[in-house]
Amino acid sequence: MVLWQGINFTADGHEPTTAEEYYRIALHCWNSDPHRPATTFFLETAAATGHPAAVELLGHVRYVQGQYADAVPWLRQSPGSPRAAYYLATLSHHGCPPAGVAPSLDDAAHWYRAAASLGEPEAMLALADLYLERQLPVTRTPADHALELLLTAADGGHPYAQYRAAELYRTLYGDTGRAAALYRACLDNPMTPRHALATLMTLQSQAHLREITANQAYQQRQQRGDALNPPHRRDDFY
């Protein structure tokens, strides 16, 4: 057993001896509120041997704890991790002097693209914003690049990406049919209530759906009127 602040930790009843066993104890600690403070104690032992999962988790833990200078070396050792790449992107985007990271949109874009290629939806959203802000080189319109990224994240079930893609379809492309489908997907998404912008997305999606439905009903009435009473015959009523 390993004693940490008066608490005994074991790996399946015996003293941990391998990096994998130290990592499994660390993972248990990270997912257990009472034992969470012990996480880095066990992670550092496993990560020091190069255990890839321990290295990646230690970078994540240090980052979310705000210990960026300690996080960066571990994050850089996790090239296959979408969240590690995303964290490095955010640090480059805004700069982080304590970690020795200067602000650089080029570096941020590099890491956002790396994270996006690994399936990180937040990186796709960040890249979409950079395109819309005209901060990245384009081969099509900035909106086309942004929409492609937003739709990829939306297809993965990200509620804010669904909402943002709907907004682009409605405001820039005038495609209310696709906008409505994405607004509905956002409203039906079980992740939406847990998102930080849940209230905004819900209220705006509902409002735009009502507007789209009302406009569609008006257009249908107009089309019916034109079919029953063609414009060239309307003088007959006067």
Side-chain angles (χ1 to χ4, degrees):
M1 64 183 178
V2 175
L3 187 66
W4 181 86
Q5 293 190 0
I7 304 173
N8 293 324
F9 290 91
T10 65
D12 299 325
H14 64 268
E15 181 178 353
T17 57
T18 67
E20 176 63 21
E21 289 175 338
Y22 273 90
Y23 167 72
R24 281 166 35 207
I25 294 174
L27 190 60
H28 160 77
C29 292
W30 182 243
N31 293 319
S32 171
D33 288 340
H35 298 152
R36 183 163 290 182
T39 302
T40 53
F41 173 80
F42 292 100
L43 271 184
E44 286 171 350
T45 300
T49 70
H51 189 286
V55 168
E56 198 273 347
L57 182 57
L58 184 55
H60 167 69
V61 170
R62 291 302 194 196
Y63 181 91
V64 299
Q65 290 175 338
Q67 299 176 20
Y68 303 122
D70 291 334
V72 166
W74 300 111
L75 295 173
R76 293 189 184 279
Q77 293 180 54
S78 303
S81 167
R83 66 182 175 186
Y86 176 70
Y87 294 156
L88 289 169
T90 62
L91 292 174
S92 295
H93 194 161
H94 305 290
C96 184
V101 179
S104 168
L105 281 181
D106 289 336
D107 289 345
H110 164 77
W111 287 113
Y112 280 137
R113 288 193 178 100
S117 70
L118 294 167
E120 175 52 61
E122 296 296 340
M124 299 174 198
L125 285 160
L127 281 172
D129 283 334
L130 287 177
Y131 276 117
L132 291 172
E133 294 165 4
R134 300 180 180 273
Q135 297 300 308
L136 297 177
V138 297
T139 56
R140 295 165 286 159
T141 68
D144 286 346
H145 284 285
L147 183 60
E148 181 180 22
L149 288 158
L150 292 173
L151 288 175
T152 300
D155 288 343
H158 195 287
Y160 190 54
Q162 292 167 339
Y163 171 77
R164 290 286 306 280
E167 288 284 276
L168 280 187
Y169 271 127
R170 181 180 64 86
T171 60
L172 294 183
Y173 292 88
D175 191 334
T176 56
R178 291 184 180 179
L182 284 158
Y183 283 132
R184 292 191 187 97
C186 179
L187 290 172
D188 294 339
N189 192 329
M191 298 297 292
T192 296
R194 290 183 258 173
H195 195 276
L197 298 175
T199 301
L200 178 147
M201 291 190 294
T202 299
L203 293 178
Q204 290 295 314
S205 294
Q206 290 171 339
H208 292 314
L209 279 173
R210 287 194 297 269
E211 179 184 11
I212 291 170
T213 300
N215 287 338
Q216 288 173 340
Y218 174 77
Q219 291 171 0
Q220 289 171 353
R221 289 196 299 271
Q222 287 290 99
Q223 291 169 356
R224 176 179 171 82
D226 289 344
L228 293 175
N229 302 288
H232 68 274
R233 294 184 52 195
R234 288 180 183 170
D235 288 343
D236 296 345
F237 294 94
Y238 298 99

